[in-house]
């Protein structure tokens, strides 16, 4: 496989190819469904999401808050909220979103109204249309480009190819300056589809075919970053937006030894794979057993963009070390359980995985 990693969604913040510590690094956030290997960087053994469905995870990633929305929602992002792309854009980043949005269905909630220079994709997941596996009567699924519906009920087998082409083109066009690329892949959410090239490629059913195609797609994105000369200044974060949709059987993936899946608060629903990579800074093949949540990524990436030199030093030994909402008393232990308004994660002690 091209990348060894299969994703459901990707976000990229790219900096400069110059290896100076004062240059804000690239950051690739991938929300995905299947973990294939962990040797590229640091694996988080206790990565969790703040809720049981996709939109909660997406809101946590982009806003640093938690909530839930679907295709019928009339509400969305409050205009007073500061989103990650808005913060990064203010720091000089070019910003783009390709994939599913999930943060509001009305135009005033669209990505271009909240920090993204450009976007293309769906306002919600791909089951929110006529192809929903069980619910009938849902309106046509809109594919939107920069706030304009350019197609309804598009060929879902081409989603992965389409988004990958948009992402790699954006990387090539913006390699000379910092950029934030958020690429939340539509697959492998039900209903699942693979392009002709990948149908029966896995010899293990349609879901595995979809996984193979996503894996190859992420490989293309990683190759584009390397070709642009920004690989060593690109931070990559791979994670999932929720556990497998077990009610859809062999179209849903597996939580392995964890109990239950999406829609539940058991570990199979909220404990998800998570990887982080920043060559030369985050040790390859390292493991972190401390809890880390998607809601921690907003302040972590914000700090990395604003204080790259300082945060790079911290990342050399840990990731998402202390996510503080209010000041932590000097006597507080970073490994203790906090109360009240103080929230922070435990420091990560570096170790090497004995097996993958």
């Amino acid at each position: 496989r091209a990348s060894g990693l299969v994703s459901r969604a990707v976000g990229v913040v790219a900096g400069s190819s110059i290896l100076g510590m004062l240059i804000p690094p690239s950051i690739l956030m991938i929300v995905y469904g299947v973990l294939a290997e962990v040797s590229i960087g640091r694996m988080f053994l206790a990565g969790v999401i703040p809720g049981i469905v996709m939109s909660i995870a997406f809101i946590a990633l982009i806003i640093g808050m938690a909530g839930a929305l679907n295709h019928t929602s009339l509400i969305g992002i409050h205009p007073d909220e500061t989103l990650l792309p808005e913060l990064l854009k203010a720091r000089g980043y070019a910003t783009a979103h390709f994939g599913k949005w999930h943060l509001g269905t009305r135009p005033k909630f669209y990505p271009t109204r909240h920090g993204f220079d450009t976007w293309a994709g769906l306002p919600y997941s791909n089951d929110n249309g006529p192809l929903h596996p069980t619910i009938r009567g849902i309106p046509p699924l809109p594919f939107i480009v920069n706030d304009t519906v350019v197609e309804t009920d598009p060929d879902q087998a081409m989603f992965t190819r389409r988004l990958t082409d948009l992402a790699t083109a954006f990387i090539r066009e913006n390699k000379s300056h910092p950029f934030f690329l958020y690429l939340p892949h539509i697959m492998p959410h039900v209903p699942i589809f693979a392009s002709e090239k990948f149908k029966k490629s896995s010899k293990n059913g349609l879901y595995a075919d979809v996984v193979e195609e996503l894996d190859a797609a992420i490989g293309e994105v990683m190759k584009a970053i390397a070709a642009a000369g920004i690989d060593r200044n690109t931070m990559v974060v791979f994670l999932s937006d929720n556990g497998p949709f077990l009610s859809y059987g062999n179209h849903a993936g597996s939580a392995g030894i964890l109990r239950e899946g999406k829609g539940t608060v058991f570990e199979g629903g909220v404990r998800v794979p998570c990887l982080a990579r920043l060559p030369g800074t985050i040790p390859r093949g390292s493991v972190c057993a401390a809890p880390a949540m998607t809601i921690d990524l907003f302040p972590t990436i914000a700090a990395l963009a604003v204080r790259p030199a300082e945060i790079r030093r911290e990342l050399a030994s840990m990731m998402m070390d202390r996510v503080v909402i209010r000041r932590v008393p000097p006597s507080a232990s970073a490994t203790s359980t906090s109360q009240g308004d103080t929230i922070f994660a435990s420091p990560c002690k570096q170790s090497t995985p004995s097996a993958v």
Side-chain angles (χ1 to χ4, degrees), residues 54 73 98 107 119 141 143 193 254 267 271 289 294 303 326 343 347:
M54 295 171 298
S73 298
F98 303 128
W119 83 288
L141 185 69
F143 191 91
F193 297 88
S254 170
E267 281 194 289
R271 185 172 170 180
T294 52
R326 294 177 186 264
I343 302 175

Side-chain angles (χ1 to χ4, degrees), residues 7-10 31 54 58 97-101 120-127 141-143 154-156 158-160 162-163 183-193 210 214 241:
S7 76
R8 181 173 298 161
V10 186
V31 184
M54 295 171 298
F58 281 82
H97 170 282
F98 303 128
K100 58 182 176 182
W101 179 231
L122 308 180
Y124 31 71
S125 58
N126 59 316
D127 63 341
L141 185 69
F143 191 91
D155 181 0
Q156 297 208 23
M158 295 305 296
F159 277 151
T160 300
R162 199 167 180 176
L163 298 180
L183 177 56
H185 267 291
I186 296 166
M187 296 292 143
H189 192 285
V190 293
I192 57 175
F193 297 88
V210 172
L214 284 165
D241 56 0

Side-chain angles (χ1 to χ4, degrees), residues 326-340:
R326 294 177 186 264
R327 185 176 298 276
V328 180
S331 60
S333 168
T335 59
S336 65
T337 301
S338 61
Q339 302 293 328

